Amino acid sequence: MEDIDAIAVLQDPVRRRLYEYVAAQGREVGRNEAAEAAGVARTLAAHHLDRLTEAGLLESGSRRLTGRSGPGAGRPAKVYTRAKVERSVSLPARDYRTAAELLAEAAELAGLDTGLRAAARRRGEALRGAAAPCGGLAEAMATLAARGYEPHLEPPVEGVEGEPGGDADAPASVIRMRNCPFHAVAERFPPLVCGMNLALLEGLLGVDGPVRARMDARPGECCVVVEASKNNVD
């Protein structure tokens, strides 16, 4: 399906609510859960979820939502996740991705990593403008969401501040991001683009405030995480 046709599927308000909910979870979502979140009947949710799958915006599978197996575990239920494919529309057609890849290739071959990071940090500072460095994790979440990073707060785990045996200097939680706005180019030039992304967020959030950005790559997520600086937790 053409990108413009796939995106047009989201024009229906119920369908869009269902897509946005599934996309925001970062995990498999069943029909009952999606229907409840969107405030619609299960049968209507199932219809729209399948339509989103046909359009290539969601991927579907099946598993037992009870977590059990064997007799009495129940039938597998249909579940949905956001499709990994990237969709974009430009009228008339534009090809900024190829230009970005060519520029990234030239920068990598010329060893311009340091200059690129400096430019990215300046751009982040320009985007922040006269505002003070980000005031905390909640403010960072809002800033990152506005830039398309799809942030979510990962709760503390055993071994960090506030937990048994935790390190008093460790942050209590981190912001991870399900989307990298530079994903297509980052796949081809990861060190170059991930370093640029980190510098951009350092400029955008500030380096002298209560939060800091750092590298912590994880499959399927942005290579940068944001955490509270030492002794600064929301």
Side-chain angles (χ1 to χ4, degrees), residues 191-227:
L192 182 78
V193 178
C194 290
M196 176 198 76
N197 189 23
L198 174 61
L200 177 71
L201 291 181
E202 286 175 340
L204 182 65
L205 302 175
V207 295
D208 300 321
V211 301
R212 67 169 185 139
R214 64 176 175 85
M215 297 289 289
D216 188 11
R218 178 184 288 185
E221 295 188 342
C222 179
C223 58
V224 179
V225 299
V226 177
E227 63 188 11

Side-chain angles (χ1 to χ4, degrees), residues 119-208:
R121 191 171 289 107
R122 289 195 299 270
R123 174 58 63 91
E125 291 169 350
L127 291 170
R128 177 159 52 92
C134 201
L137 292 182
E139 186 178 338
M141 289 273 286
T143 300
L144 293 166
R147 302 296 305 176
Y149 283 93
E150 297 186 1
H152 64 101
L153 193 64
E154 185 174 89
V157 295
E158 186 176 355
V160 301
E161 184 182 8
E163 296 293 327
D167 181 351
D169 292 333
S173 54
V174 299
I175 297 173
R176 293 191 178 273
M177 295 167 271
R178 295 192 177 100
N179 182 51
C180 171
F182 317 109
H183 174 72
V185 187
E187 277 195 316
R188 289 196 57 190
F189 308 95
L192 182 78
V193 178
C194 290
M196 176 198 76
N197 189 23
L198 174 61
L200 177 71
L201 291 181
E202 286 175 340
L204 182 65
L205 302 175
V207 295
D208 300 321

Side-chain angles (χ1 to χ4, degrees), residues 43 46 66-68 71 81 97 111 116 132 146 168 201 211 223:
T43 52
T66 61
R68 303 194 304 271
T81 56
R97 175 174 172 175
L116 178 61
L201 291 181
V211 301
C223 58

Side-chain angles (χ1 to χ4, degrees), residues 1-10 51 55 57 89:
M1 179 178 287
E2 295 291 336
D3 284 1
I4 192 168
D5 295 327
I7 293 172
V9 170
L10 296 173
R51 183 72 184 91
L57 295 170
V89 173

